[in-house]
Amino acid sequence: MRLVTCEYDNKEQLGFILDDQIYICSQTAPGLPVSMNDFLEGGQQSMQAMSRTVELAKKGKFSNIALDSRHIKLLAPVPYPSSFRDAYAFRQHVSTSRRNRGLEMIPEFDKFPVFYFSNHRAVMGPGSVSCMPLHFDQLDFELEVAVVLNKRGKNIPASEADQYIAGYMIMNDLSARNLQMEEMKLNLGPAKGKDFATMTGPYLVTKDELEPYKIATPEGHTGDTYNLHMSCAVNGKQVSAGNLADMNWTFAEIIERVSYGVEVFPGDLIGSGTVGTGCFLELNGTGKRNDPNYQVQWLQPGDHISMQVTGLGQLDNTVVLEPINKY
């Protein structure tokens, strides 16, 4: 299933997409969750009810209420996550970024999956994203995939952790690199360099949709692994490409680490971290290392960012300069 949160009838609405048409849940089966938070809180019961409704829609049951998705504004699929953690799971990104700074690969990367907390109230969907002037001092994209949980738990073993995942989304974690690098000299963060905008979408894809892409998990690791091609284009030019299968820690292993000694909740959002080549910080560093005359690139006001991931759709955003007199 592909689930969306959208604007319809002057309200935020939960819906599902079939053949580029959106079905608003409040107009379909009685008792179906009408918000993403309600859907996630309902766990497996909500999943089964939604699945039954989608099957009815496939048979034409709700054809009279189908909406053309091109004319509906999509929001972040999970607009109000209960928390937001972002991991650091792709070795290529970590090792290349460190090498570009003259650092050796850190051995702790292979000991446990690491993550940081970000701002769960600055999650946005497709469309325009306003950034402040300081954000545009080396503004960067980050090509990622995120999962959202729909089950409460604590001390979850990796062998059971995939059962806690409701679905997957494309994620673009915007980063103000100059702010980030300044504050991390104090051995805290990232904070202001990351807390202003993270985009997800265009929809939440449940695990059943990704079964055709499931592949064997690498030896020594536990959890579902998917062969999903990832790419990012800026202003129509591809700048990044990778694969979700290249995660060196699975989402199941990340959830095991996240839940050690603490509870996780329905609505918790967890990012994969940046795929190899998945940001200008890495690309610029590699370019400069290979050619001192390399022209670095950062996001500028008006730039359009388009991310595609197999099975998860396409997330489009435009970064704009926020008017100073807005407040």
Side-chain angles (χ1 to χ4, degrees):
M1 297 181 289
R2 295 181 296 162
L3 308 180
V4 299
T5 299
C6 61
E7 281 189 6
Y8 179 72
D9 197 23
N10 296 317
K11 293 186 293 186
E12 289 186 6
Q13 302 264 14
L14 177 65
F16 57 88
I17 291 185
L18 285 175
D19 300 324
D20 295 323
Q21 293 184 309
I22 292 179
Y23 298 79
I24 303 297
C25 291
S26 62
Q27 298 182 350
T28 57
L32 202 64
V34 296
S35 74
M36 182 61 78
N37 281 5
D38 287 344
F39 171 77
L40 296 171
E41 287 282 352
Q44 193 59 30
Q45 184 176 351
S46 289
M47 191 74 71
Q48 292 171 351
M50 187 71 74
S51 181
R52 289 193 295 268
T53 304
V54 171
E55 288 303 313
L56 290 173
K58 289 179 180 178
K59 297 174 182 178
K61 171 75 172 177
F62 308 111
S63 58
N64 61 314
I65 61 168
L67 304 171
D68 189 332
S69 62
R70 294 174 298 178
H71 305 311
I72 303 295
K73 181 181 179 180
L74 297 182
L75 308 174
V78 184
Y80 309 109
S82 43
S83 71
F84 173 26
R85 299 169 175 91
D86 201 7
Y88 205 34
F90 290 93
R91 170 178 277 276
Q92 180 184 344
H93 171 67
V94 178
S95 62
T96 303
S97 296
R98 290 182 67 83
R99 185 170 65 249
N100 290 344
R101 302 197 303 272
L103 302 173
E104 296 293 326
M105 183 57 180
I106 190 166
E108 283 78 6
F109 178 85
D110 297 309
K111 295 180 180 179
F112 54 86
V114 69
F115 65 91
Y116 71 94
F117 281 92
S118 194
N119 186 358
H120 64 298
R121 293 307 193 205
V123 173
M124 308 170 194
S128 179
V129 178
S130 294
C131 301
M132 298 293 288
L134 289 180
H135 295 147
F136 279 103
D137 190 351
Q138 301 183 0
L139 182 63
D140 205 353
F141 71 92
E142 287 191 344
L143 174 59
E144 307 189 31
V145 166
V147 297
V148 64
L149 309 186
N150 68 341
K151 190 176 177 181
R152 186 173 178 173
K154 182 178 180 179
N155 296 327
I156 304 163
S159 59
E160 300 175 11
D162 285 310
Q163 301 171 29
Y164 289 72
I165 296 175
Y168 292 71
M169 301 175 287
I170 302 173
M171 187 171 101
N172 180 2
D173 187 30
L174 283 187
S175 301
R177 296 301 189 189
N178 192 54
L179 286 175
Q180 178 188 355
M181 296 308 167
E182 285 182 342
E183 65 191 1
M184 291 187 71
K185 291 177 182 177
L186 297 168
N187 295 323
L188 281 177
K192 293 310 297 180
K194 294 272 193 175
D195 72 349
F196 58 99
T198 299
M199 294 86 81
T200 61
Y203 27 72
L204 176 70
V205 180
T206 55
K207 292 184 290 183
D208 55 296
E209 293 273 339
L210 299 179
E211 280 295 317
Y213 308 107
K214 189 178 283 189
I215 58 176
T217 300
E219 186 176 353
H221 290 275
T222 302
D224 292 344
T225 301
Y226 299 99
N227 176 25
L228 305 182
H229 180 72
M230 305 169 64
S231 67
C232 178
V234 176
N235 298 329
K237 180 180 179 181
Q238 182 173 309
V239 294
S240 174
N243 197 295
L244 190 66
D246 293 333
M247 287 177 70
N248 292 84
W249 293 102
T250 67
F251 275 113
E253 292 165 334
I254 295 167
I255 292 169
E256 180 180 75
R257 177 74 175 185
V258 162
S259 68
Y260 178 74
V262 299
E263 284 193 279
V264 295
F265 295 88
D268 283 1
L269 183 68
I270 301 173
S272 64
T274 309
V275 69
T277 77
C279 65
F280 281 137
L281 180 69
E282 181 183 339
L283 295 169
N284 289 338
T286 299
K288 277 292 189 183
R289 190 163 47 84
N290 294 333
D291 177 7
N293 297 316
Y294 178 85
Q295 291 296 114
V296 301
Q297 182 177 359
W298 302 104
L299 294 174
Q300 305 299 321
D303 280 356
H304 179 80
I305 312 151
S306 181
M307 294 185 169
Q308 290 185 312
V309 177
T310 304
L312 302 185
Q314 179 171 313
L315 175 62
D316 289 293
N317 295 101
T318 301
V319 289
V320 299
L321 182 61
E322 187 164 325
I324 298 301
N325 61 357
K326 180 177 178 180
Y327 302 101

